[in-house]
Amino acid sequence: MAYGFESEFIGRLPVTTVFEKLEVDDLYAILKNPNNPIILGKKKDFKSYGIDIQFEEEALYDLAVKAYEERQGERTGQCG
């Protein structure tokens, strides 16, 4: 950008990164985040049917364990 490259061009450059495997506690922390789009999306889905759903911490932990066992990574909303 400092040399006049347009942001669209910079966004097309290949990026290489290394990911570390997420553990159960990592997945649980992601689910507990109050701004988690997975949880917010599920709340919105249920709200459209007039249901005010709440997720207990034990349930979120169980989801994290299941996601870990199924090697779902951070896409914990996809297991089930």
Side-chain angles (χ1 to χ4, degrees):
M1 302 291 267
Y3 300 103
F5 288 111
E6 291 188 32
S7 59
E8 182 177 329
F9 174 75
I10 297 297
R12 295 180 188 275
L13 293 177
V15 176
T16 303
T17 186
V18 176
F19 293 101
E20 293 182 22
K21 183 177 178 182
L22 296 175
E23 299 296 327
V24 172
D25 289 338
D26 300 320
L27 297 169
Y28 176 61
I30 291 169
L31 286 172
K32 272 189 61 172
N33 180 338
N35 296 318
N36 180 314
I38 295 168
I39 300 300
L40 292 175
K42 296 301 177 193
K43 286 183 176 185
K44 185 177 177 183
D45 290 344
F46 277 85
K47 192 69 162 179
S48 68
Y49 292 101
I51 301 169
D52 185 24
I53 190 168
Q54 297 194 14
F55 295 92
E56 295 179 6
E57 294 202 15
E58 184 179 342
L60 293 177
Y61 190 81
D62 289 345
L63 283 173
V65 169
K66 186 171 183 174
Y68 180 81
E69 291 171 351
E70 294 183 5
R71 303 178 71 195
Q72 291 288 326
E74 72 169 301
R75 297 196 145 296
T76 54
Q78 301 300 318
C79 69

